[in-house]
């Protein structure tokens, strides 16, 4: 009778464990989908970063977070998205994260420090940004899962950057082509000069 009782308890516990594993797996798949689908939405870079940050905060149950991206003109990292900071300016946020940001860039890996987790946003050997979540260090399996999500988010961000850069080039080429066509179609110097000034102003 005792053996039967123990056997029943073992079955119940095994079923419960299986259900918990299945729920965890479903949660992970849903979280992964919520990150990768951002790349399918017709959003500009600011919108992409805001959506990604808010989803990371929700998935990781973090209080606040910030995304830095490298400025292509001078290689400095600037704040491009933030959430959960009520009365802090960008300068204050930058100052309190400066040390951990520098460590991520130097060490090329995730840094956990002072109740913050800083992930490198990177493609291959190129770090182009950093995601910082204000959160205690999670368990090892959750940490690996978050790092996997950050990899997917890096791809989404990089593709958005490429798309916007390509769009800028196309717009610039269209403007240049338009100026060329007008120059060819008129002999009025004043009209040509006015058009050139207007077009260059719009491009810049």
């Amino acid at each position: 009778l005792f053996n039967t009782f123990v056997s029943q308890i073992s079955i119940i516990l095994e079923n419960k464990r299986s259900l918990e594993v299945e729920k965890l797996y479903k949660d992970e798949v849903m979280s992964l989908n919520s990150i990768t689908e951002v790349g399918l939405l017709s959003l500009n870079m600011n919108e992409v970063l805001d959506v990604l940050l808010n989803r990371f905060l929700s998935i990781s149950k973090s209080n606040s977070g910030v995304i830095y991206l490298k400025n292509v003109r001078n290689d400095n990292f600037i704040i491009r998205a933030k959430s959960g900071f009520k009365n802090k300016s960008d300068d204050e946020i930058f100052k309190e994260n400066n040390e951990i940001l520098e460590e991520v860039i130097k060490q090329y890996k995730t840094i956990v420090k002072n109740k913050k987790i800083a992930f490198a946003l990177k493609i291959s050997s190129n770090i182009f940004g950093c995601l910082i979540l204000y959160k205690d260090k999670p368990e090892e399996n959750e940490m690996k899962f978050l790092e996997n999500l950050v990899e997917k988010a890096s791809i989404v961000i990089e593709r958005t950057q490429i798309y916007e850069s390509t769009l800028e080039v196309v717009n610039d080429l269209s403007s240049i082509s338009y100026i060329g066509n007008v120059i060819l179609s008129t002999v009025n110097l004043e009209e040509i000069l006015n058009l050139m000034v207007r077009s260059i102003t719009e491009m810049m």
Side-chain angles (χ1 to χ4, degrees):
L1 184 63
F2 183 74
N3 284 337
T4 304
F5 178 69
V6 170
S7 176
Q8 290 295 320
I9 289 177
S10 298
I11 292 169
I12 290 168
L13 291 174
E14 181 60 30
N15 286 342
K16 188 175 185 304
R17 192 185 70 82
S18 297
L19 286 171
E20 286 175 353
V21 169
E22 185 180 348
K23 183 182 182 303
L24 185 63
Y25 176 73
K26 283 181 180 176
D27 289 345
E28 288 186 358
V29 169
M30 286 178 67
S31 298
L32 188 60
N33 286 342
S34 76
I35 296 300
T36 54
E37 74 177 4
V38 176
L40 303 175
L41 304 174
S42 298
L43 303 173
N44 62 40
M45 179 58 79
N46 290 334
E47 292 168 335
V48 165
L49 295 175
D50 284 339
V51 171
L52 283 174
L53 179 57
N54 284 313
R55 292 191 180 181
F56 269 104
L57 292 178
S58 175
I59 291 165
S60 65
K61 298 179 176 62
S62 302
N63 298 322
S64 49
V66 57
I67 293 178
Y68 295 83
L69 287 187
K70 187 187 284 185
N71 187 334
V72 293
R73 291 178 182 169
N74 55 24
D75 281 349
N76 290 334
F77 283 77
I78 57 174
I79 293 174
R80 291 293 304 273
K82 61 183 179 179
S83 182
F85 302 96
K86 289 183 179 177
N87 300 312
K88 285 185 182 177
S89 67
D90 283 4
D91 287 340
E92 289 175 306
I93 296 168
F94 199 93
K95 190 179 289 185
E96 71 183 32
N97 288 315
N98 192 42
E99 187 181 336
I100 196 168
L101 176 63
E102 286 182 358
E103 285 188 44
V104 168
I105 296 165
K106 280 182 186 175
Q107 299 184 32
Y108 196 71
K109 65 177 186 178
T110 302
I111 302 293
V112 181
K113 195 173 189 178
N114 300 329
K115 295 188 175 180
K116 297 176 196 169
I117 311 172
F119 302 92
L121 296 170
K122 60 190 180 186
I123 298 292
S124 300
S125 60
N126 176 36
I127 292 182
F128 60 84
C130 179
L131 164 67
I132 298 177
L133 298 176
Y134 284 59
K135 175 182 173 62
D136 290 330
K137 184 178 180 181
E139 293 179 8
E140 187 178 348
N141 59 343
E142 186 185 353
M143 190 71 163
K144 285 181 180 177
F145 175 62
L146 287 172
E147 287 179 328
N148 183 37
L149 288 183
V150 169
E151 282 182 24
K152 303 298 181 284
S154 296
I155 294 169
V156 170
I157 294 169
E158 193 213 25
R159 286 181 178 171
T160 306
Q161 283 181 322
I162 291 170
Y163 173 75
E164 289 199 345
S165 297
T166 305
L167 205 58
E168 281 182 25
V169 171
V170 169
N171 288 337
D172 290 349
L173 290 174
S174 297
S175 299
I176 292 167
S177 175
Y178 175 68
I179 293 170
N181 289 335
V182 171
I183 289 171
L184 292 173
S185 66
T186 183
V187 290
N188 186 330
L189 181 60
E190 188 178 349
E191 189 178 330
I192 291 171
L193 293 175
N194 284 332
L195 172 71
M196 287 174 66
V197 170
R198 190 169 64 249
S199 298
I200 290 168
T201 304
E202 288 173 2
M203 286 168 64
M204 295 183 70

